[in-house]
Amino acid sequence: MSGEMRVIAMGVHVVDVLARPIEAIPPGQGGQLVEEIRITPAGSAGGTAVTLAKLGATVRSAGAIGTDALGDVMLELLARHGVDGSMLIRREGVQTSASVLPIRADGSRPAFHVIGANGQYNSADAPWDEIRSATHLHLGAPEFMGGEEAAKILSFAREHGVITSADLLAPGEQASQILDWISPAFPHLDFLLPNDEQVLALSGANDLEQGCRSLIERGVGCVAATAGAEGALVVPGDGEAERVPAFAIDVVDTTGCGDSFSAGFLRGLSLGRSRRDSAVLGCAAAALVAGGLGSDHGDFDLAAADAFAAATPTR
C-alpha cells in the first residue's frame, strides 16, 4: 500500500493553556512560580490532527471556533504543525473552546474548560465534497452533536469509501449517561477509540474486553481502547482481542495521550499494518507526547516513532 492518508479531523478543537508542576492552587491572591507554561492545539479532533500530521498524513481540520483571539491562535498553532484549518468555521458571539490545565508532578491534572464554539457544529456544517475526497474521517467527540447528527456525516463518508473513526471526550462518569444519545453513530463507525473508563461506563460491564464486545454488538466495527499505563486493548468484530503494552517512560503530562494513540493507530492501519502493530504505533505516539507538556509535545515523525517503539522497553 502507498500509505497515502488524506484525513479530515472533525469535531472538538480546544486551545489548551498548561502549567507545570502544580500541586495546589495558592489561596487568595497568592502566587507560585512554575517550571513551564505552554499554549497548544488540543481536543479530540485538534490533538489527533496534530499527531496525524507528524506521522505523515495530509490533515484538514473541520469544526467550529470563535472569531476571537483564541481562534486566531488555534489556526496559527495548527498551521505550525502542517494542519490545514481552512474548514474550521468561525462563529460570531461565542468564544473558541479552551481549557486551563494545572499539571501535577505525576502528569495527572484537573481541567477547567469552556465548551464554546464546539457546541455549535453539526451536520449542516459538514464539508461534503471534502469528505467525499478523503480517505479517512475522524470524528472527535460525537457526543457534542449527538449520534443522529454524527450518523448523517459518518454514513455519507462510508457510502463514499471513507474509513470512519471516532473517540469520546466525556469522562467515565458522564459517559454512562450518553449511550442512547451517541449510539446511533455506532453502526457507521469502522473504529471507536475510547479509553477504558468510557468503555466500562458506556457498556455497564466490569471487564474491558466484555465492554468492547458490547459496543461491537451495537454496530462498531472494531474498538481500540486505551488503558493508561496498561497500554491498549484492540477488540475487532471479526477476531480475537489483542493486548498491547504501554512503553516504560517517565510521564510528564498525560494530556493528549489518547488523541495521539488514535492518530498512531489510524496511521498504522493506513500503512497496511496489522491492528496489533498499529496499536504499537499508537502507544509509541502516546508515549512520545507524554514525555513533555501539552498535546503537541515532541518533534517526531513516523520513522522516529517506529525507532522509539523498537528501542524502548514496555511496562
Side-chain angles (χ1 to χ4, degrees):
M1 296 179 63
S2 68
E4 181 183 13
M5 186 183 193
R6 303 182 306 278
V7 57
I8 295 175
M10 178 183 290
V12 169
H13 288 72
V14 181
V15 175
D16 277 356
V17 179
L18 312 95
R20 65 170 290 270
I22 296 177
E23 293 299 338
I25 305 298
Q29 301 296 311
Q32 177 181 334
L33 293 177
V34 297
E35 295 178 9
E36 189 177 9
I37 296 174
R38 294 195 66 226
I39 185 167
T40 70
S44 45
T48 305
V50 167
T51 303
L52 279 167
K54 290 182 181 182
L55 296 175
T58 300
V59 189
R60 304 186 73 182
S61 277
I65 58 177
T67 58
D68 53 0
L70 284 174
D72 297 339
V73 168
M74 172 62 75
L75 292 173
E76 167 65 20
L77 292 173
L78 289 174
R80 289 187 185 187
H81 292 288
V83 176
D84 181 349
S86 61
M87 294 192 301
L88 288 169
I89 296 170
R90 305 205 71 169
R91 300 288 198 211
E92 295 278 356
V94 62
Q95 80 156 78
T96 299
S97 180
S99 292
V100 174
L101 304 173
I103 310 301
R104 302 184 184 99
D106 66 359
S108 64
R109 80 291 188 277
F112 302 91
H113 182 66
V114 173
I115 292 174
N118 281 329
Q120 298 188 11
Y121 189 85
N122 57 41
S123 65
D125 303 305
W128 303 110
D129 289 342
E130 289 80 2
I131 293 172
R132 185 184 291 112
S133 62
T135 62
H136 294 72
L137 172 65
H138 179 69
L139 185 54
E143 64 266 31
F144 275 68
M145 68 174 69
E148 293 185 1
E149 283 293 298
K152 295 176 185 178
I153 301 171
L154 295 167
S155 62
F156 175 87
R158 292 185 82 184
E159 287 168 6
H160 291 86
V162 179
I163 296 170
T164 60
S165 58
D167 64 359
L168 304 175
L169 191 61
E173 62 270 18
Q174 296 177 13
S176 62
Q177 304 170 25
I178 63 171
L179 177 60
D180 291 340
W181 173 245
I182 63 171
S183 60
F186 289 170
H188 309 289
L189 282 173
D190 294 306
F191 300 96
L192 180 63
L193 303 159
N195 62 40
D196 51 354
E197 293 181 358
Q198 291 166 335
V199 170
L200 297 178
L202 284 170
S203 65
N206 295 317
D207 173 78
L208 183 56
E209 181 177 347
Q210 179 186 351
C212 292
R213 296 284 181 200
S214 175
L215 298 177
I216 288 171
E217 290 172 1
R218 288 180 172 267
V220 176
C222 174
V223 179
T226 56
E230 300 300 316
L233 177 69
V234 182
V235 183
D238 58 356
E240 296 296 320
E242 295 183 280
R243 293 188 179 273
V244 176
F247 291 96
I249 62 163
D250 293 326
V251 174
V252 172
D253 174 22
T254 58
T255 304
C257 289
D259 303 327
S260 297
F261 172 85
S262 295
F265 181 74
L266 295 170
R267 182 61 175 137
L269 292 172
S270 79
L271 294 165
R273 300 183 184 183
S274 68
R275 287 184 288 250
R276 179 181 178 80
D277 288 345
S278 297
V280 170
L281 179 57
C283 288
L288 288 164
V289 168
L293 188 62
S295 295
D296 66 349
H297 173 75
D299 182 17
F300 60 89
D301 58 12
L302 177 63
D306 284 337
F308 172 89
T312 307
T314 56
R315 293 185 183 275

